[in-house]
Amino acid sequence: MAYVLLLIGFGLLIKGADLFVDGSSNIARLLRVPPILIGLTIVAFGTSSPEATVSIIAALQGNAEVSLGNVVGSNIFNITLVVGIAAFLYPLMVENETTKKEIPFILLASGALLVLVSDTELQGLSDNLLTRSDGIIFLLFLSIFVYYVIEVGMKSRNESAQEPMPTNVKWGKNIALTGVGLGAIILGGDLVVDNGTEIAYDLGMSETLVGLTIIAIGTSLPELVTSISAALKKESGIALGNVVGSNIFNILFVLGSSAVISPLPVNGKIVIDVIIMIALSLLLFLFSRTHYKIGKLEGFILLTMYIIYLVYIILRN
């Protein structure tokens, strides 16, 4: 039954992403803002909801390894596999503003995470711990990012105020499409995570490995199918904005909320994964500076990086 529910979950994810991209891109047109801003906010927050659900529940249950592994593993998956596959299908055009501010914001959030989980190295404490104070710092960073996105959106809207409104695009229909699509994505992601985890534990995998692989991949499937669907429809702003926004939300909102609810003890192994996440974020930044486009070659390199990382964590655990 777990295998059947797993397949149903994949089906809901794929169809939900299709509806979600159509609805959200049309909402961007109605709001007169660039699609990347919708990708950074509505789409990113929506596709990050499975990570939020899993990590917050894990924090409430005192299972910090799954909570942290889920976020770090999801971010690595997003940068390598999601961007890699999307770029391989259709080259992702990178807006100048994205490379200047949004992608560096991932580096800022990731760097802050590394500092806050390195208590033994930086403060000489016996254990690493993500405290409630650390969680509040993440949420404050998130408020700065949301303020920035709103500011950019309002400026863009004022600049395009003279453009005629699209007559064939309706608010009600596209809000419904976005809502139904998001609902299918969340339900599909939940089915994939629950049943994939059950199968993984039956195969004898450790909690850290399950968090970094099965749960991380499962909760990142909404980002994967949404970005692939957006790339196929040549909506590169949504495809890239989804990944950038999701990675920021995963660290600042998901880990911030989880730590505020319950302080998270940090396994020493996860610090290495955080460093790998920062290195891959830097690689994404460098790729985005090459003619402001992430093409097939960069996509292939990112895919290869994920395969290497997957082999490494399986051997390590």
Side-chain angles (χ1 to χ4, degrees):
M1 193 62 188
Y3 288 97
V4 173
L5 291 172
L6 190 67
L7 290 173
I8 292 171
F10 279 123
L12 285 170
L13 278 168
I14 293 164
K15 186 58 184 174
D18 189 46
L19 297 174
F20 193 53
V21 170
D22 283 345
S24 55
S25 59
N26 283 332
I27 286 172
R29 291 171 62 196
L30 289 166
L31 289 173
R32 293 174 173 169
V33 297
I36 192 163
L37 291 181
I38 298 297
L40 284 165
T41 51
I42 298 171
V43 177
F45 192 77
T47 56
S48 286
S49 56
E51 282 94 336
T53 304
V54 170
S55 290
I56 289 170
I57 290 171
L60 287 168
Q61 294 173 346
N63 196 341
E65 286 190 24
V66 169
S67 186
L68 275 164
N70 173 33
V71 167
V72 176
S74 292
N75 280 15
I76 291 171
F77 183 90
N78 287 346
I79 294 168
T80 53
L81 209 70
V82 176
V83 175
I85 292 175
F88 204 75
L89 291 172
Y90 179 75
L92 301 177
M93 303 308 297
V94 184
E95 295 185 23
N96 193 27
E97 205 69 18
T98 308
T99 54
K100 280 185 176 178
K101 294 176 183 174
E102 283 91 349
I103 295 178
F105 211 94
I106 297 179
L107 288 166
L108 173 64
S110 302
L113 176 60
L114 179 62
V115 169
L116 295 176
V117 299
S118 302
D119 296 329
T120 56
E121 291 81 5
L122 297 177
Q123 300 186 56
L125 300 178
S126 57
D127 296 304
N128 292 324
L129 185 69
L130 206 58
T131 65
R132 283 195 174 91
S133 299
D134 298 336
I136 291 168
I137 289 170
F138 280 146
L139 294 176
L140 289 172
F141 274 11
L142 178 65
S143 65
I144 294 169
F145 175 71
V146 171
Y147 173 80
Y148 157 73
V149 170
I150 291 171
E151 183 101 345
V152 172
M154 293 302 293
K155 180 182 176 183
S156 172
R157 192 174 182 186
N158 290 336
E159 287 173 356
S160 59
Q162 304 303 319
E163 295 178 12
M165 286 286 284
T167 55
N168 59 337
V169 181
K170 306 297 180 185
W171 275 104
K173 178 185 175 182
N174 288 289
I175 289 172
L177 280 176
T178 306
V180 170
L182 179 58
I185 286 170
I186 293 169
L187 178 58
D190 191 45
L191 286 172
V192 168
V193 171
D194 287 348
N195 294 284
T197 306
E198 183 183 329
I199 293 166
Y201 283 137
D202 287 341
L203 295 172
M205 293 170 68
S206 69
E207 281 189 358
T208 303
L209 185 57
V210 168
L212 285 167
T213 55
I214 302 296
I215 296 179
I217 292 168
T219 55
S220 287
L221 283 174
E223 284 91 340
L224 177 62
V225 292
T226 301
S227 287
I228 288 174
S229 181
L232 290 171
K233 294 176 181 181
K234 300 182 180 180
E235 292 279 2
S236 58
I238 288 179
L240 188 59
N242 171 34
V243 169
V244 173
S246 290
N247 279 22
I248 293 168
F249 275 111
N250 283 348
I251 296 172
L252 301 183
F253 175 72
V254 177
L255 278 185
S257 302
S258 300
V260 167
I261 290 167
S262 175
L264 305 173
V266 179
N267 186 323
K269 288 180 181 177
I270 207 77
V271 176
I272 298 169
D273 297 287
V274 173
I275 293 169
I276 292 170
M277 178 178 72
I278 292 171
L280 290 169
S281 299
L282 184 59
L283 184 64
L284 178 65
F285 175 70
L286 293 174
F287 282 168
S288 67
R289 300 291 291 180
T290 55
H291 309 295
Y292 297 104
K293 182 177 76 173
I294 301 174
K296 289 184 185 294
L297 176 60
E298 291 92 342
F300 178 75
I301 293 170
L302 290 171
L303 287 170
T304 305
M305 289 290 181
Y306 185 73
I307 293 167
I308 294 169
Y309 171 72
L310 199 59
V311 171
Y312 161 69
I313 57 172
I314 290 170
L315 292 175
R316 184 185 71 183
N317 288 279

